[in-house]
Amino acid sequence: MEISEHIQIVAEEGKLLARAAAEAGTDAKVPTCPGWQVRDLLRHAGMVHRWAAAFLTERRTSYRLGGELPDLDGDSLVEWFREGHAALVATLESALPDVECWTFLPSPSPLAFWARRQANETTVHRVDAESARGGTPSPLDVDFAVDGIEELLFGFHARKKSRVRSDVPCVLRVRATDARTWTLRLSDGPPVAEHGATAPADCEVSGPATRLYLALWNRLPFPQVTGETALAALWREKSAIVMG
């Protein structure tokens, strides 16, 4: 996907997130994030937006922690989120294509990295906000879902930090029934992702790309699991993401 497409997704998804949070109220529980209320979601997402924008605006070349969470609630917290989201979108839109700053996943450029990362970050948390509000969730684009799955498999879980590991080597197949297929080789090291069905699978998780995207982010159950269900359970238990 193009940088401009990711930036547009950040813009649209952030507005949907804020709207759903306002409609749900900051006291509402977030079913997709057990233990969280909407106020926790807004504080986290708003902090991440400001954190990400700072790397670009200040051209930070090394890792820094995110800022403190605000002591705000209710409408004031929703407005604080909206302000940070708008600033992030403006930063992404105005950043020079060759801007240099810190990143933590492979990408064609720092700007491409941050646009893609915040598109996925904002989309997943929009889903969280809509789960708190209830009702029909906003749709996801298939191409974006595929791109987000690849960020997970070839980006986050290629890192040493990934806890998706198996003492016995095995293969997890990820099949988007309306898009493409990936093979994930599991061992006692970081998972190795490959395009296509490159090896016999011990377990396969499958379904439409948009549902599979949310399942891999642990926001929905896997649409379908065949083979050794323990491998699907391993993903759900160990795949939580640690940023940085």
Side-chain angles (χ1 to χ4, degrees):
M1 294 183 70
E2 299 294 327
I3 292 173
S4 60
E5 293 176 290
H6 281 131
I7 294 174
Q8 185 62 31
I9 289 168
V10 176
E12 293 172 354
E13 294 287 330
K15 291 175 183 177
L16 291 171
L17 194 166
R19 183 185 309 163
E23 291 171 353
T26 53
D27 287 337
K29 294 182 179 180
V30 182
T32 50
C33 295
W36 271 24
Q37 293 174 290
V38 168
R39 64 174 57 88
D40 303 304
L41 177 62
L42 287 172
R43 289 168 182 163
H44 167 78
M47 180 275 291
V48 170
H49 283 171
R50 288 165 169 81
W51 175 76
F55 285 104
L56 290 163
T57 57
E58 300 175 17
R59 300 194 176 193
R60 297 177 177 178
T61 56
S62 60
Y63 173 75
R64 295 189 191 180
L65 293 172
E68 294 184 3
L69 301 181
D71 187 19
L72 297 171
D73 207 349
D75 292 344
S76 296
L77 180 58
V78 176
E79 184 58 29
W80 176 85
F81 169 82
R82 285 191 169 117
E83 290 171 357
H85 167 252
L88 171 64
V89 173
T91 296
L92 291 168
E93 289 177 335
S94 63
L96 295 174
D98 61 352
V99 64
E100 291 294 331
C101 65
W102 178 83
T103 63
F104 59 88
L105 296 178
S107 182
S109 71
L111 180 57
F113 165 80
W114 283 112
R116 183 195 208 193
R117 177 79 293 280
Q118 291 310 301
N120 284 294
E121 178 82 12
T122 307
T123 298
V124 169
H125 289 318
R126 182 269 295 169
V127 171
D128 294 332
E130 290 185 345
S131 79
R133 180 199 63 193
T136 303
S138 301
L140 276 171
D141 177 76
V142 172
D143 289 341
F144 174 66
V146 168
D147 184 70
I149 291 170
E150 297 218 330
E151 187 196 46
L152 270 174
L153 300 185
F154 292 92
F156 279 109
H157 288 290
R159 303 188 303 168
K160 292 181 180 179
K161 289 184 178 183
S162 177
R163 299 184 300 122
V164 181
R165 303 187 181 213
S166 172
D167 292 335
V168 177
C170 53
V171 173
L172 175 64
R173 177 96 70 246
V174 178
R175 185 184 302 277
T177 53
D178 53 351
R180 65 181 63 170
T181 297
W182 302 268
T183 296
L184 201 61
R185 297 177 185 267
L186 305 182
S187 67
D188 59 359
V192 176
E194 300 166 345
H195 288 103
T198 56
D202 298 291
C203 174
E204 178 174 295
V205 295
S206 61
T210 56
R211 285 184 56 84
L212 200 55
Y213 170 85
L214 293 175
L216 289 165
W217 276 106
N218 292 322
R219 264 52 186 190
L220 289 176
F222 285 117
Q224 184 173 358
V225 179
T226 55
E228 296 182 16
T229 57
L231 291 184
L234 173 68
W235 179 274
R236 299 196 69 83
E237 292 167 8
K238 300 294 186 180
S239 65
I241 296 301
V242 178
M243 298 297 177

